Structure formats: C-alpha cells, structure tokens
Amino acid sequence: MYGWRARIGVLVPSGIITIEPEFNMTVPEGVTCHYHRFRFLGGGENKTVLKDLTTAVEYIADASELITHVHPSVVVMAGTGVSFIGGYGYDQMLIKKMQERNGNLPTTTTSTSVIAAFQCLGIKKVSIAMPYI
C-alpha cells in the first residue's frame, strides 16, 4: 500500500519543475508524496514575478483543500519565495489560510520549515545566494 507510514500532500508552484523529482528522492520507505499545483509561473520581468508571488495566495487555499482528497498526513506548501514575499509572519498567514480549507491538518511552508530546522540545529547566522530579485 502506498504511503503506509505517511502521505505528504505537496502544493507546488505551477511553473516549478524540480520539486517532484527532488522530494521523491528524499522520502523514506513507506512515505509517499502526492502533488497538486497552484498558479505561479515564476521567471520573467521583476514586476511580473512580484505580482505572481503576491497573488499566489489566492490559489493556495484551493490547492490545500483539493490535496485532502488523497488523505495526506501533512500538507507542505513548497516554493520559498511564495512563503516569504509578505515578510515576517507571512508564512503563518498562509498556513492559517491552508488549514481553514484542509480541515486543520498539520501544515507548513518552505520558510516555516527552514526556520524550524535552523532553530533545532542552533543556527543563528546564515549566508545564502539565491536567484531572487
């Protein structure tokens, strides 16, 4: 049986092609990932990207409801930029919107998970290079 240990419902920005293959390579035996896309193309001019990032929230709640059809143990919204475009606390607002539609399942975002991992590992300073505007 697929997902006998856990099923992860993953919400994927529609224009991103790397998430499914990378998630599928990392899950342990008995855990399955089930994907649903929300509208976000990415790329293009700065103005277009910013608009896509800020309007993605309109599509995430719907996607969070539809992913429940596969009975996930947890819902993950992938896409770093989408989870921090509104600044500190924006990820928590997204989680609340998703949980309102997914029956209050355990839910997280990329930014939320990274912050939790840093706190768990005691990491206080981070330097990264990203392809963001």
Side-chain angles (χ1 to χ4, degrees):
M1 179 178 162
Y2 294 110
W4 57 268
R5 288 176 67 195
R7 291 182 195 151
I8 302 172
V10 185
L11 307 181
V12 182
S14 60
I16 308 300
I17 63 169
T18 57
I19 292 171
E20 291 97 336
E22 290 181 1
F23 271 51
N24 288 335
M25 287 189 296
T26 63
V27 293
E29 182 180 350
V31 176
T32 53
C33 293
H34 305 272
Y35 303 94
H36 186 68
R37 294 187 174 275
F38 61 89
R39 188 183 193 296
F40 175 76
L41 299 175
E45 296 179 19
N46 291 353
K47 211 160 101 174
T48 304
V49 173
L50 287 173
K51 182 177 182 250
D52 280 353
L53 284 169
T54 55
T55 59
V57 66
E58 298 172 20
Y59 308 104
I60 291 170
D62 288 341
S64 185
E65 181 179 337
L66 290 172
I67 200 72
T68 65
H69 296 184
V70 298
H71 307 287
S73 309
V74 63
V75 175
V76 176
M77 196 281 304
T80 313
V82 175
S83 64
F84 69 62
I85 188 65
Y88 183 77
Y90 191 74
D91 60 324
Q92 296 303 310
M93 181 275 298
L94 287 173
I95 290 170
K96 183 178 176 192
K97 282 186 173 291
M98 289 186 286
Q99 286 181 317
E100 287 171 357
R101 297 285 293 278
N102 70 21
N104 211 33
L105 287 170
T107 303
T108 192
T109 71
T110 305
S111 294
T112 310
S113 298
V114 168
I115 291 167
F118 286 168
Q119 289 171 341
C120 184
L121 296 170
I123 296 172
K124 306 254 186 245
K125 265 179 128 173
V126 178
S127 295
I128 56 176
M130 296 180 157
Y132 300 116
I133 55 173

